Amino acid sequence: MPAAFNGKIDALFCENKADIFGNYREENNTITVALGEESDNTISLMNLAAIKTFLNGGDVYLLDKEDMPNPNSKLNALYRY
């Protein structure tokens, strides 16, 4: 997540029909992942990463699980530096 906020992701690959819910605090770069579904106290961390990557000039791709570079992860990234 810090890489997405700091413009260091060149390409972000997101698994279609998957999501990761939780919270991210930019002040201290802490991520809390919720074990269940979305609730009033959580946000889509995948959506947040995609938005920040796009706003910082990166490309965002939505792929089926079998087309992901690493199909064992819901998010994959290629870094700029």
Side-chain angles (χ1 to χ4, degrees):
M1 195 63 73
F5 272 75
N6 295 319
K8 294 185 177 181
I9 296 178
D10 188 49
L12 183 70
F13 303 93
C14 302
E15 183 182 323
N16 192 23
K17 298 181 183 175
D19 215 334
I20 302 169
F21 295 104
N23 292 294
Y24 174 66
R25 293 184 157 276
E26 187 176 5
E27 312 83 61
N28 54 6
N29 290 322
T30 57
I31 299 172
T32 306
V33 177
L35 298 177
E37 293 292 318
E38 181 180 20
S39 72
D40 291 339
N41 300 325
T42 62
I43 61 169
S44 169
L45 296 173
M46 287 179 67
N47 190 45
L48 181 61
I51 290 169
K52 288 299 183 177
T53 297
F54 180 77
L55 291 176
N56 286 316
D59 295 319
V60 178
Y61 301 94
L62 185 63
L63 302 173
D64 290 328
K65 182 177 178 106
E66 57 272 2
D67 296 327
M68 293 284 286
N70 177 358
N72 297 318
S73 180
K74 295 178 184 180
L75 282 175
N76 296 195
L78 294 175
Y79 294 96
R80 289 192 171 130
Y81 332 108

